Amino acid sequence: MPINDVESAVDALLQAENRREERGRVTTEWPGLDAGTAYEVQRTLIEAKIAAGEEIVGFKLGLTSKAKQEQMNVDAPLSGWLTDAHQCCNGEPVKVANYIHPRIEPEIAFILGRELKGPNCTRDDVKEATSHITAAFEIIDSRYRDFNFALPDVIADNASSAGFILGKTHIKVGEFDLINEPVELLVDGEVQATATGAAVLGDPAQAVVDAVNEIATRGQSLPAGTIVLTGALTDAVFLNPGSKYTARFKSLGEITVNCL
Ligand code: 0L1
Ligand code: MG
């Protein structure tokens, strides 16, 4: 079926996800798709998941490193929504065959105790609304062949959302140095990459402020209880069956994922 409107784009993306089949860019068939309309595709796709019984539990920022933004020729992050079906249990193995070509990336998650709403959200609002911060791993799995997409494609694809795992250490804002918090990403015990909180646009809390103000332009806000993944701290690495992935933070503790 040709892709030329919101509904046909949603059908194509959900079909790729459900069948675990990669596909070509939506923008190849629908070159007129712009970022604003792509967020409508994303919203309709999430509504379809809710209609199928899923529940929104989180919100994610993507393209939060300057290097990734330059690669995509954008100057701001994008965002997407996480459902209960995306949440993987900390300690349980992750089955690679449940995805198309999954990758994993260490992140810092804010858990909201109160609603966060723009347009005039500030850093103080984020501090007051956050009940605690925790380590996270995000699993991304673009529905596009070889992760090859333009910005509207990846927005429509709910920012490549596929899974996430939260750490067990909970720390309050202000009780550790968020910007300088170091992390190591290990694959089978070998350090693959290192970073600090500053990798998320200089300050993960400011990235949340900016995202909350951005989604307010579409009439959206983050309710109390939302898990906010603030963006990749290092490059994502592919998941392989039999391998072990660890995000080792200084204050936020460690998460390990074993893949089947
Ligand atoms: O969470 C992310 O940073 C991913 C955003 C989408 C881009 C990608 O799939 O690499
Ligand atoms: Mg991410």
Side-chain angles (χ1 to χ4, degrees):
M1 213 176 63
I3 299 178
N4 50 20
D5 61 10
V6 169
E7 278 68 33
S8 53
V10 169
D11 287 349
L13 288 165
L14 284 177
Q15 179 172 308
E17 182 175 348
N18 294 335
R19 294 186 180 172
R20 292 167 200 135
E21 278 171 6
E22 57 186 13
R23 55 159 297 114
R25 297 173 174 210
V26 168
T27 52
T28 304
E29 292 171 66
W30 186 11
L33 179 68
D34 59 16
T37 312
Y39 274 113
E40 248 183 80
V41 175
Q42 186 192 100
R43 185 180 50 76
T44 309
L45 185 144
I46 293 298
E47 282 169 3
K49 285 178 180 279
I50 292 168
E54 293 180 34
E55 199 184 318
I56 295 182
V57 297
F59 174 71
K60 65 161 280 186
L61 307 186
L63 307 184
T64 44
S65 81
K66 277 285 161 216
K68 256 194 165 178
Q69 287 186 2
E70 275 163 24
Q71 197 185 324
M72 297 293 295
N73 204 19
V74 295
D75 58 7
L78 80 172
S79 61
W81 299 93
L82 303 166
T83 75
D84 54 343
H86 289 128
Q87 186 155 13
C88 308
C89 249
N90 187 330
E92 278 184 15
V94 165
K95 208 168 159 199
V96 176
N98 286 344
Y99 304 93
I100 302 169
H101 40 202
R103 299 165 79 175
I104 197 162
E105 52 195 29
E107 305 211 6
I108 293 172
F110 285 49
I111 316 298
L112 302 185
R114 283 199 232 149
E115 185 190 29
L116 263 181
K117 195 170 179 167
N120 298 309
C121 177
T122 64
R123 219 175 169 287
D124 278 349
D125 294 333
V126 170
K127 189 174 171 192
E128 281 160 26
T130 301
S131 86
H132 60 272
I133 293 179
T134 182
F137 252 145
E138 184 183 14
I139 298 171
I140 54 171
D141 193 26
S142 175
R143 270 49 73 169
Y144 301 112
R145 195 163 297 119
D146 302 326
F147 278 77
N148 182 329
F149 42 68
L151 184 67
D153 294 298
V154 64
I155 292 172
D157 188 28
N158 193 26
S160 308
S161 302
F164 68 95
I165 300 111
L166 295 180
K168 292 180 177 162
T169 303
H170 296 178
I171 305 190
K172 293 216 175 298
V173 181
E175 287 186 351
F176 75 117
D177 184 350
L178 174 65
I179 293 174
N180 292 307
E181 171 72 358
V183 63
E184 290 177 334
L185 171 64
L186 296 91
V187 181
D188 295 325
E190 298 280 327
V191 176
Q192 296 286 313
T194 60
T196 64
V200 178
L201 295 172
D203 176 1
Q206 186 60 43
V208 176
V209 171
D210 294 343
V212 167
N213 287 327
E214 199 277 327
I215 62 171
T217 65
R218 293 189 290 282
Q220 295 172 321
S221 63
L222 302 181
T226 303
I227 297 157
V228 184
L229 298 190
T230 56
L233 293 162
T234 69
D235 272 348
V237 293
F238 281 103
L239 289 182
N240 290 310
S243 282
K244 178 172 99 170
Y245 301 81
T246 301
R248 182 178 291 156
F249 290 83
K250 178 173 169 228
S251 305
L252 293 170
E254 216 173 274
I255 307 178
T256 291
V257 168
N258 287 295
C259 282
L260 299 175

Coordinates of all heavy atoms in Angstrom, one line a residue, residues 104-171:
I104 N 22.0 -0.8 22.1 CA 21.8 -0.4 23.5 C 22.7 0.8 23.8 O 23.8 0.9 23.3 CB 22.0 -1.6 24.4 CG1 21.4 -1.4 25.8 CG2 23.5 -2.0 24.5 CD1 21.2 -2.6 26.6
E105 N 22.2 1.7 24.7 CA 22.9 2.9 25.0 C 22.6 3.3 26.5 O 21.5 3.2 26.9 CB 22.6 4.0 24.1 CG 21.1 4.3 24.0 CD 20.7 5.2 22.8 OE1 21.5 5.2 21.8 OE2 19.7 5.9 22.9
P106 N 23.7 3.7 27.2 CA 23.5 4.1 28.6 C 22.9 5.5 28.7 O 23.3 6.3 27.9 CB 24.9 4.0 29.2 CG 25.8 4.2 28.1 CD 25.1 3.7 26.8
E107 N 22.0 5.6 29.6 CA 21.3 6.9 29.8 C 21.1 7.3 31.3 O 21.3 6.4 32.1 CB 19.9 6.9 29.1 CG 20.0 6.5 27.6 CD 19.0 7.2 26.7 OE1 18.2 8.0 27.2 OE2 18.9 6.8 25.5
I108 N 20.7 8.5 31.5 CA 20.3 8.9 32.9 C 18.8 9.2 32.8 O 18.3 9.9 31.9 CB 21.1 10.2 33.3 CG1 22.6 9.8 33.5 CG2 20.5 10.7 34.6 CD1 23.5 11.0 33.7
A109 N 18.0 8.6 33.8 CA 16.6 8.7 33.8 C 16.1 9.5 35.0 O 16.6 9.4 36.1 CB 15.9 7.3 33.8
F110 N 15.2 10.4 34.7 CA 14.5 11.2 35.7 C 13.1 10.6 36.0 O 12.4 10.4 35.0 CB 14.3 12.7 35.3 CG 15.6 13.5 35.3 CD1 16.7 13.1 34.7 CD2 15.6 14.8 35.9 CE1 17.9 13.9 34.7 CE2 16.7 15.6 35.9 CZ 17.9 15.1 35.3
I111 N 12.8 10.4 37.2 CA 11.5 9.8 37.5 C 10.7 11.0 38.1 O 11.1 11.5 39.2 CB 11.5 8.6 38.5 CG1 12.7 7.7 38.1 CG2 10.2 7.9 38.5 CD1 12.6 7.0 36.7
L112 N 9.5 11.3 37.5 CA 8.8 12.5 38.0 C 7.8 12.1 39.1 O 7.0 11.2 39.0 CB 8.0 13.1 36.8 CG 8.9 13.5 35.6 CD1 8.0 14.3 34.6 CD2 10.0 14.4 36.0
G113 N 7.8 13.0 40.1 CA 6.9 12.8 41.2 C 5.7 13.8 41.0 O 4.6 13.6 41.6
R114 N 5.9 14.7 40.1 CA 4.8 15.7 39.8 C 4.8 16.0 38.3 O 5.8 15.7 37.6 CB 5.1 17.0 40.5 CG 4.9 17.1 41.9 CD 4.8 18.5 42.4 NE 5.7 18.8 43.5 CZ 6.3 19.9 43.7 NH1 6.1 21.0 42.9 NH2 7.0 20.1 44.8
E115 N 3.7 16.5 37.8 CA 3.6 16.8 36.4 C 4.6 17.9 36.0 O 4.9 18.8 36.8 CB 2.2 17.4 36.1 CG 2.0 17.6 34.6 CD 0.7 18.3 34.2 OE1 0.2 19.2 35.0 OE2 0.2 18.1 33.1
L116 N 5.1 17.8 34.8 CA 6.0 18.8 34.3 C 5.3 19.4 33.0 O 5.0 18.6 32.1 CB 7.4 18.3 33.9 CG 8.5 18.4 34.9 CD1 9.8 17.8 34.3 CD2 8.7 19.9 35.2
K117 N 5.1 20.7 33.0 CA 4.4 21.3 31.9 C 5.0 22.5 31.4 O 5.4 23.4 32.2 CB 3.0 21.6 32.5 CG 1.9 21.8 31.5 CD 0.5 21.9 32.2 CE -0.5 22.2 31.1 NZ -1.8 21.9 31.5
G118 N 5.1 22.7 30.1 CA 5.6 24.0 29.5 C 4.4 24.9 29.3 O 3.3 24.6 29.7
P119 N 4.6 26.1 28.7 CA 5.8 26.5 28.0 C 6.9 27.1 28.8 O 8.0 27.4 28.2 CB 5.2 27.5 27.0 CG 4.0 28.2 27.7 CD 3.5 27.1 28.6
N120 N 6.7 27.4 30.0 CA 7.7 28.2 30.8 C 8.4 27.3 31.8 O 8.8 27.8 32.9 CB 7.1 29.4 31.4 CG 6.5 30.4 30.3 OD1 7.2 30.7 29.3 ND2 5.3 30.7 30.5
C121 N 8.6 26.1 31.5 CA 9.3 25.1 32.4 C 10.7 25.6 32.6 O 11.4 26.0 31.7 CB 9.2 23.7 31.8 SG 10.1 22.5 32.8
T122 N 11.2 25.5 33.9 CA 12.6 25.9 34.2 C 13.3 24.8 34.8 O 12.7 23.7 35.2 CB 12.5 27.1 35.2 OG1 12.0 26.6 36.4 CG2 11.7 28.3 34.7
R123 N 14.6 25.0 35.0 CA 15.4 24.0 35.6 C 15.0 23.7 37.1 O 15.0 22.6 37.5 CB 16.9 24.5 35.6 CG 17.9 23.4 35.4 CD 19.3 23.9 35.3 NE 20.2 22.8 35.3 CZ 20.5 22.1 36.3 NH1 19.9 22.3 37.5 NH2 21.3 21.0 36.2
D124 N 14.5 24.8 37.8 CA 14.0 24.6 39.1 C 12.7 23.7 39.1 O 12.5 22.9 40.0 CB 13.6 26.0 39.8 CG 14.9 26.6 40.3 OD1 15.9 25.9 40.4 OD2 14.8 27.8 40.7
D125 N 11.9 23.9 38.1 CA 10.7 23.1 38.0 C 11.0 21.6 37.8 O 10.4 20.8 38.5 CB 9.8 23.5 36.7 CG 9.2 24.9 36.8 OD1 9.0 25.4 38.0 OD2 9.0 25.5 35.8
V126 N 12.1 21.4 37.0 CA 12.5 20.0 36.8 C 13.0 19.4 38.1 O 12.7 18.3 38.6 CB 13.6 19.9 35.7 CG1 14.2 18.5 35.7 CG2 12.9 20.2 34.3
K127 N 13.8 20.2 38.8 CA 14.4 19.8 40.1 C 13.2 19.4 41.1 O 13.3 18.4 41.8 CB 15.3 20.9 40.7 CG 16.1 20.5 41.9 CD 17.0 21.6 42.3 CE 17.6 21.2 43.6 NZ 18.3 22.3 44.3
E128 N 12.3 20.3 41.2 CA 11.2 20.1 42.2 C 10.3 19.0 41.8 O 9.7 18.3 42.6 CB 10.3 21.4 42.3 CG 11.0 22.4 43.2 CD 10.6 23.8 43.0 OE1 9.4 24.0 42.5 OE2 11.3 24.8 43.2
A129 N 10.1 18.7 40.4 CA 9.1 17.7 40.0 C 9.8 16.3 40.0 O 9.1 15.3 39.9 CB 8.6 18.0 38.6
T130 N 11.1 16.2 40.1 CA 11.8 14.9 40.0 C 11.8 14.2 41.3 O 12.4 14.8 42.3 CB 13.2 15.1 39.4 OG1 13.1 15.8 38.1 CG2 14.0 13.8 39.3
S131 N 11.3 13.0 41.4 CA 11.3 12.3 42.7 C 12.7 11.7 42.9 O 13.3 11.7 44.0 CB 10.2 11.3 42.8 OG 10.6 10.1 42.3
H132 N 13.3 11.2 41.8 CA 14.7 10.7 41.9 C 15.2 10.5 40.5 O 14.5 10.5 39.5 CB 14.8 9.4 42.7 CG 13.9 8.3 42.1 ND1 12.6 8.1 42.5 CD2 14.2 7.3 41.3 CE1 12.1 7.0 41.8 NE2 13.1 6.5 41.1
I133 N 16.5 10.2 40.5 CA 17.3 10.0 39.2 C 17.8 8.5 39.3 O 18.2 8.1 40.4 CB 18.4 11.0 39.0 CG1 17.7 12.4 38.8 CG2 19.3 10.7 37.9 CD1 18.7 13.5 38.6
T134 N 17.9 7.9 38.2 CA 18.4 6.5 38.2 C 19.2 6.2 36.9 O 19.0 7.0 35.9 CB 17.3 5.5 38.4 OG1 17.8 4.2 38.4 CG2 16.2 5.5 37.3
A135 N 20.0 5.2 36.9 CA 20.7 4.8 35.7 C 19.7 4.1 34.8 O 18.7 3.6 35.3 CB 21.8 3.9 36.0
A136 N 19.9 4.1 33.5 CA 19.0 3.4 32.5 C 19.9 2.9 31.4 O 20.9 3.4 31.1 CB 17.9 4.3 32.0
F137 N 19.4 1.8 30.8 CA 19.8 1.4 29.5 C 18.6 1.6 28.5 O 17.5 1.2 28.9 CB 20.2 -0.1 29.5 CG 21.6 -0.5 29.4 CD1 22.1 -1.6 30.1 CD2 22.5 0.3 28.7 CE1 23.4 -1.9 30.1 CE2 23.8 -0.1 28.6 CZ 24.3 -1.2 29.3
E138 N 18.9 2.2 27.4 CA 17.8 2.2 26.4 C 18.1 1.2 25.2 O 19.3 1.2 24.8 CB 17.5 3.6 25.8 CG 16.3 3.5 24.8 CD 15.9 4.7 24.1 OE1 16.7 5.7 24.0 OE2 14.8 4.7 23.5
I139 N 17.1 0.5 24.8 CA 17.3 -0.3 23.6 C 16.6 0.4 22.4 O 15.4 0.7 22.5 CB 16.7 -1.7 23.8 CG1 17.4 -2.5 24.9 CG2 16.8 -2.6 22.5 CD1 16.7 -3.8 25.3
I140 N 17.4 0.7 21.4 CA 16.8 1.4 20.2 C 16.8 0.4 19.1 O 17.7 -0.5 19.0 CB 17.5 2.7 19.8 CG1 19.0 2.5 19.6 CG2 17.2 3.8 20.8 CD1 19.7 3.7 19.0
D141 N 15.8 0.5 18.3 CA 15.6 -0.5 17.2 C 14.9 0.2 16.0 O 13.6 0.0 15.9 CB 14.8 -1.7 17.7 CG 14.9 -2.9 16.7 OD1 15.8 -3.0 16.0 OD2 13.9 -3.8 16.8
S142 N 15.6 0.9 15.2 CA 14.9 1.6 14.1 C 14.2 0.6 13.2 O 14.7 -0.5 13.0 CB 16.0 2.3 13.3 OG 15.3 2.9 12.1
R143 N 13.0 1.0 12.8 CA 12.3 0.1 11.9 C 12.8 0.3 10.4 O 12.4 -0.4 9.5 CB 10.8 0.4 11.9 CG 10.0 -0.4 12.9 CD 10.5 -0.5 14.3 NE 10.4 0.7 15.1 CZ 10.6 0.8 16.4 NH1 11.0 -0.2 17.1 NH2 10.4 1.9 17.1
Y144 N 13.8 1.2 10.3 CA 14.4 1.5 8.9 C 15.6 0.6 8.7 O 16.5 0.5 9.6 CB 14.7 2.9 8.8 CG 13.4 3.8 9.0 CD1 13.3 4.6 10.1 CD2 12.4 3.7 8.1 CE1 12.1 5.4 10.2 CE2 11.2 4.5 8.2 CZ 11.1 5.3 9.3 OH 10.0 6.1 9.5
R145 N 15.8 0.2 7.5 CA 16.9 -0.6 7.0 C 18.2 0.1 7.4 O 18.4 1.3 7.1 CB 16.8 -0.8 5.5 CG 17.7 -1.9 5.0 CD 17.3 -2.3 3.6 NE 15.9 -2.9 3.6 CZ 14.9 -2.3 3.0 NH1 15.0 -1.3 2.2 NH2 13.7 -2.9 3.1
D146 N 19.1 -0.6 8.1 CA 20.4 0.0 8.4 C 20.4 1.3 9.3 O 21.3 2.1 9.2 CB 21.3 0.2 7.2 CG 21.5 -1.0 6.4 OD1 21.6 -2.1 7.0 OD2 21.5 -1.0 5.1
F147 N 19.3 1.5 10.0 CA 19.2 2.8 10.8 C 19.3 4.0 9.8 O 19.8 5.0 10.2 CB 20.2 2.9 11.9 CG 19.8 2.1 13.2 CD1 19.9 0.7 13.2 CD2 19.3 2.8 14.3 CE1 19.6 0.0 14.4 CE2 19.0 2.1 15.4 CZ 19.1 0.7 15.5
N148 N 18.9 3.8 8.6 CA 19.0 4.8 7.6 C 17.7 5.6 7.5 O 16.7 5.1 7.0 CB 19.4 4.2 6.2 CG 19.7 5.2 5.2 OD1 19.1 6.3 5.1 ND2 20.5 4.8 4.2
F149 N 17.7 6.9 7.9 CA 16.5 7.7 8.0 C 16.8 9.2 7.9 O 18.0 9.6 8.2 CB 15.7 7.4 9.2 CG 16.5 7.3 10.5 CD1 17.2 8.4 11.0 CD2 16.7 6.1 11.2 CE1 17.9 8.3 12.2 CE2 17.4 6.0 12.3 CZ 18.0 7.1 12.8
A150 N 15.8 9.9 7.5 CA 15.9 11.4 7.7 C 15.2 11.8 8.9 O 14.4 10.9 9.5 CB 15.3 12.1 6.4
L151 N 15.3 13.0 9.4 CA 14.7 13.4 10.7 C 13.2 13.1 10.8 O 12.7 12.5 11.7 CB 15.0 14.9 11.0 CG 14.4 15.3 12.3 CD1 15.2 14.6 13.5 CD2 14.5 16.8 12.5
P152 N 12.3 13.4 9.7 CA 10.9 13.1 9.9 C 10.6 11.6 10.0 O 9.7 11.2 10.7 CB 10.3 13.7 8.6 CG 11.3 14.7 8.1 CD 12.6 14.2 8.5
D153 N 11.5 10.8 9.3 CA 11.3 9.3 9.4 C 11.5 8.8 10.9 O 10.7 8.0 11.4 CB 12.4 8.6 8.6 CG 12.3 8.8 7.1 OD1 11.2 8.4 6.5 OD2 13.2 9.4 6.5
V154 N 12.5 9.3 11.5 CA 12.8 8.8 12.9 C 11.8 9.4 13.9 O 11.5 8.7 14.9 CB 14.3 9.0 13.2 CG1 14.7 10.4 13.3 CG2 14.7 8.3 14.5
I155 N 11.3 10.6 13.7 CA 10.3 11.1 14.5 C 9.0 10.2 14.4 O 8.5 9.8 15.4 CB 10.0 12.6 14.2 CG1 11.1 13.5 14.5 CG2 8.7 13.0 14.9 CD1 11.0 14.9 14.0
A156 N 8.6 10.0 13.2 CA 7.4 9.1 12.9 C 7.6 7.8 13.6 O 6.6 7.2 14.1 CB 7.2 9.0 11.4
D157 N 8.8 7.3 13.6 CA 9.1 5.9 14.1 C 9.3 6.0 15.6 O 10.0 5.1 16.2 CB 10.4 5.4 13.4 CG 10.7 3.9 13.8 OD1 9.7 3.2 14.1 OD2 11.9 3.5 13.7
N158 N 8.7 7.0 16.3 CA 8.8 7.1 17.7 C 10.2 7.1 18.3 O 10.5 6.4 19.3 CB 7.9 6.0 18.4 CG 7.7 6.3 19.9 OD1 7.7 7.4 20.3 ND2 7.4 5.2 20.6
A159 N 11.1 7.8 17.5 CA 12.5 7.9 17.9 C 13.2 6.6 18.2 O 14.0 6.4 19.1 CB 12.6 8.8 19.2
S160 N 12.8 5.6 17.4 CA 13.5 4.3 17.4 C 13.3 3.5 18.7 O 14.0 2.6 19.1 CB 15.0 4.3 17.1 OG 15.3 5.0 16.0
S161 N 12.2 4.0 19.5 CA 12.0 3.3 20.8 C 11.7 1.9 20.7 O 11.0 1.4 19.8 CB 10.8 4.0 21.5 OG 11.0 5.3 21.6
A162 N 12.3 1.1 21.6 CA 12.1 -0.4 21.6 C 12.1 -1.0 22.9 O 11.5 -2.0 23.2 CB 13.2 -1.0 20.7
G163 N 12.9 -0.4 23.9 CA 13.0 -1.0 25.2 C 13.8 -0.2 26.2 O 14.5 0.7 25.7
F164 N 13.6 -0.4 27.4 CA 14.5 0.2 28.4 C 14.5 -0.6 29.7 O 13.6 -1.3 30.0 CB 14.0 1.7 28.7 CG 12.7 1.8 29.4 CD1 12.6 2.0 30.8 CD2 11.5 1.8 28.7 CE1 11.4 2.1 31.4 CE2 10.3 1.9 29.3 CZ 10.2 2.1 30.7
I165 N 15.6 -0.4 30.4 CA 15.8 -1.1 31.7 C 16.3 0.0 32.7 O 17.2 0.8 32.4 CB 16.9 -2.1 31.6 CG1 16.6 -3.2 30.5 CG2 17.2 -2.8 32.9 CD1 17.4 -3.2 29.3
L166 N 15.7 0.1 33.9 CA 16.1 1.0 34.9 C 17.0 0.4 35.9 O 16.9 -0.7 36.3 CB 14.8 1.6 35.6 CG 13.8 2.4 34.7 CD1 12.7 2.9 35.6 CD2 14.5 3.6 34.0
G167 N 17.9 1.3 36.4 CA 18.8 0.8 37.5 C 18.0 0.8 38.8 O 16.9 1.3 39.0
K168 N 18.7 0.2 39.8 CA 18.1 0.0 41.1 C 18.5 1.1 42.1 O 17.9 1.1 43.2 CB 18.4 -1.4 41.7 CG 17.7 -2.5 40.8 CD 18.0 -3.9 41.3 CE 17.2 -4.9 40.4 NZ 17.7 -6.2 40.5
T169 N 19.5 1.9 41.8 CA 19.9 2.9 42.7 C 19.1 4.2 42.4 O 19.1 4.6 41.3 CB 21.5 3.2 42.5 OG1 22.2 2.0 42.7 CG2 22.0 4.3 43.5
H170 N 18.5 4.8 43.5 CA 17.7 6.0 43.3 C 18.4 7.1 44.0 O 18.7 7.0 45.2 CB 16.3 5.8 43.9 CG 15.5 4.8 43.2 ND1 14.3 4.4 43.6 CD2 15.8 4.0 42.1 CE1 13.8 3.5 42.8 NE2 14.7 3.2 41.9
I171 N 18.7 8.2 43.3 CA 19.4 9.4 44.0 C 18.5 10.6 43.7 O 18.0 10.8 42.6 CB 20.8 9.6 43.4 CG1 21.6 8.3 43.6 CG2 21.5 10.7 44.1 CD1 23.1 8.4 43.3

